Amino acid sequence: MTKVVGVRFRNTGKMYYFAPNGLEIRKGTPILVETARGLEYCEAVSDVREVEDAEVVAPIREVVRIATEEDQKTFENNWSRAVLLNFIDSNLYER
C-alpha cells in the first residue's frame, strides 16, 4: 500500500496521485506539486489515503508544499492572463 493524495489541476478533470511528503493534506487544500511542466498549483480532491501499489504510476512525485496566499494570487493572476491571451489569439485568427 502507498500513501497518496489525489489532486486535480484546473484545466483537467483527471485526478492524479502524488505522495503527501509527510504533510497533513485535506480535501480542498491548495497545494504545489512538481510536474514535467514545472511547479504547478492544484487542489487536493481527497484526503491523504492508502491505495494499492498497482493503482500508482511509478515513480510517484511528491507534493512540494501547501500553497500560500501569495501562491494563490500568483496562480489567479497567471490564469487570468492566460485566458485573456487565448481570447486575443483566437480573435486574431478569426480575421
Side-chain angles (χ1 to χ4, degrees):
M1 300 287 278
T2 303
K3 278 191 174 186
V4 298
V5 61
V7 304
R8 188 165 286 140
F9 300 95
R10 186 171 194 154
N11 58 351
T12 181
K14 185 175 179 182
M15 182 177 69
Y16 297 89
Y17 288 134
F18 283 82
N21 198 17
L23 299 170
E24 289 239 0
I25 300 171
R26 299 266 183 223
K27 183 178 179 178
T29 302
I31 55 179
L32 294 177
V33 297
E34 187 70 39
T35 70
R37 296 176 54 190
L39 197 61
E40 292 201 50
Y41 180 94
C42 58
E43 183 175 300
V45 293
S46 73
D47 292 343
V48 174
R49 61 190 176 124
E50 289 191 355
V51 297
E52 294 292 332
D53 293 337
E55 292 183 55
V56 178
V57 178
I60 187 167
R61 294 180 179 230
E62 292 187 339
V63 171
V64 174
R65 68 175 189 266
I66 294 175
T68 64
E69 285 185 32
E70 187 65 31
D71 293 327
Q72 185 171 4
K73 288 177 188 175
T74 300
F75 169 76
E76 289 171 356
N77 184 37
N78 290 345
W79 183 260
S80 297
R81 289 173 57 195
V83 169
L84 177 62
L85 290 174
N86 188 32
F87 175 76
I88 292 169
D89 191 42
S90 65
N91 283 337
L92 289 175
Y93 284 112
E94 288 178 4
R95 293 181 184 174

